[in-house]
């Protein structure tokens, strides 16, 4: 009986020892698996994936900042005259480039109309266009609208450029002239509002449009310089 009890005690100890060893082995395996899945390694994989897919584009952000600075720099260089006439012409201020032209227009703007007039007390359309060409371009062109029409080559309205002459029939034949600016706008001495800027596609001017003229060549006018 004593021998049997001793044997059972030995078996219990052996069984308990093996169970402890197995438990220790499982714990080690778990620790190793946890180390393999350590989240410290994940950002490296994530960064690599972003780099490969191109999802992150820091260059585009730098470009946006550069373009923004460029626009701000352009805005700072604009004059009050450019801003004023950009509003009137409904065009970007950067497109108002001919400073000499717009300074001349600004100086005469609002001068009342007077048939045969040649001063700032009153001026007619052909005298105004004659003065503009002399002051801005340094050329002397004829005095009347009809003579200015005969001096120029006919072109299409789709070919209009700054400085082209636009002719209208307001009282029979070629009787009114203006100077084209941009964005369908022209400057002229109007009987209703004096020196002003109008749109060539206003109903009144569309119905009276005759044609567009461009100076034939430099030899066809007399230089004032």
């Amino acid at each position: 009986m004593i021998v049997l009890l001793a044997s059972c005690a030995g078996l219990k100890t052996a069984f308990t020892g093996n169970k402890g060893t197995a438990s220790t082995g499982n714990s080690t395996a778990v620790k190793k698996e946890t180390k393999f899945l350590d989240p410290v390694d994940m950002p490296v994989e994530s960064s690599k994936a972003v780099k490969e897919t191109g999802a992150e584009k820091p260059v585009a952000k730098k470009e946006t900042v550069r373009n923004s600075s460029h626009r701000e720099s352009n805005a700072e260089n604009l004059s009050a005259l450019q801003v004023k006439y950009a509003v009137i012409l409904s065009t970007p201020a950067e497109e108002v480039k001919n400073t000499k032209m717009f300074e001349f227009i600004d100086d005469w703007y609002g001068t009342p109309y007077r048939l045969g007039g040649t001063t700032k007390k009153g001026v007619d359309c052909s005298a105004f266009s004659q003065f503009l060409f002399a002051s801005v371009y340094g050329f002397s062109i004829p005095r009347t609208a009809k003579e200015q029409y005969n001096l120029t080559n006919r072109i299409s309205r789709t070919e209009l450029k700054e400085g082209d002459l636009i002719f209208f029939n307001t009282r029979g034949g070629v009787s009114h002239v203006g100077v084209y600016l941009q964005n369908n706008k022209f400057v002229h001495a109007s009987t209703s509002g004096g020196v002003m800027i109008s749109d060539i596609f206003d109903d009144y001017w569309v119905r009276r449009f005759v044609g567009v003229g461009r100076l034939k060549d430099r030899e066809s006018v007399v230089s004032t310089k």
Side-chain angles (χ1 to χ4, degrees):
M1 186 67 177
I2 294 171
V3 173
L4 182 61
L5 289 174
S7 298
C8 289
L11 289 172
K12 184 176 180 181
T13 301
F15 180 78
T16 304
N18 289 339
K19 184 176 180 181
T21 303
S23 180
T24 302
N26 289 339
S27 175
T28 302
V30 170
K31 286 181 181 180
K32 287 182 180 179
E33 187 176 4
T34 302
K35 184 177 181 181
F36 180 75
L37 296 176
D38 193 341
V40 172
D41 294 332
M42 294 304 289
V44 175
E45 295 297 321
S46 176
S47 175
K48 182 179 179 182
V50 169
K51 184 176 181 180
E52 290 176 353
T53 58
E56 188 175 0
K57 298 179 180 179
V59 175
K61 293 180 180 179
K62 291 180 181 179
E63 185 67 19
T64 301
V65 172
R66 187 185 70 80
N67 289 339
S68 177
S69 298
H70 181 66
R71 286 193 298 269
E72 289 176 1
S73 177
N74 285 344
E76 290 175 358
N77 293 330
L78 297 175
S79 67
L81 188 72
Q82 285 177 291
V83 174
K84 175 181 177 179
Y85 283 93
V87 173
I88 295 174
L89 299 173
S90 299
T91 192
E94 293 84 356
E95 296 301 317
V96 183
K97 299 176 181 179
N98 193 339
T99 304
K100 195 170 185 178
M101 165 81 83
F102 289 99
E103 284 177 347
F104 176 85
I105 293 172
D106 203 54
D107 190 40
W108 281 82
Y109 209 97
T111 298
Y113 179 88
R114 190 176 73 187
L115 183 62
T118 58
T119 70
K120 288 183 180 177
K121 291 181 179 181
V123 66
D124 64 23
C125 62
S126 56
F128 175 75
S129 59
Q130 185 184 48
F131 294 156
L132 186 150
F133 266 81
S135 178
V136 177
Y137 298 110
F139 294 122
S140 175
I141 61 176
R143 171 68 178 83
T144 68
K146 188 173 182 178
E147 289 174 327
Q148 293 174 10
Y149 179 82
N150 292 333
L151 178 68
T152 57
N153 282 327
R154 302 287 76 75
I155 62 172
S156 168
R157 274 182 288 190
T158 60
E159 300 175 282
L160 274 166
K161 293 181 180 179
E162 183 182 280
D164 288 334
L165 293 168
I166 308 179
F167 301 95
F168 303 91
N169 177 357
T170 55
R171 58 175 184 272
V174 178
S175 54
H176 189 72
V177 61
V179 180
Y180 184 73
L181 299 174
Q182 56 181 282
N183 195 29
N184 302 321
K185 305 294 193 298
F186 68 102
V187 62
H188 61 132
S190 167
T191 56
S192 60
V195 176
M196 62 185 296
I197 292 174
S198 301
D199 194 301
I200 61 175
F201 290 109
D202 286 346
D203 289 341
Y204 179 87
W205 298 113
V206 167
R207 292 196 302 269
R208 291 163 175 78
F209 177 77
V210 173
V212 178
R214 181 172 295 165
L215 291 179
K216 295 176 181 179
D217 50 56
R218 292 180 180 272
E219 287 71 31
S220 65
V221 291
V222 179
S223 174
T224 61
K225 291 183 178 179

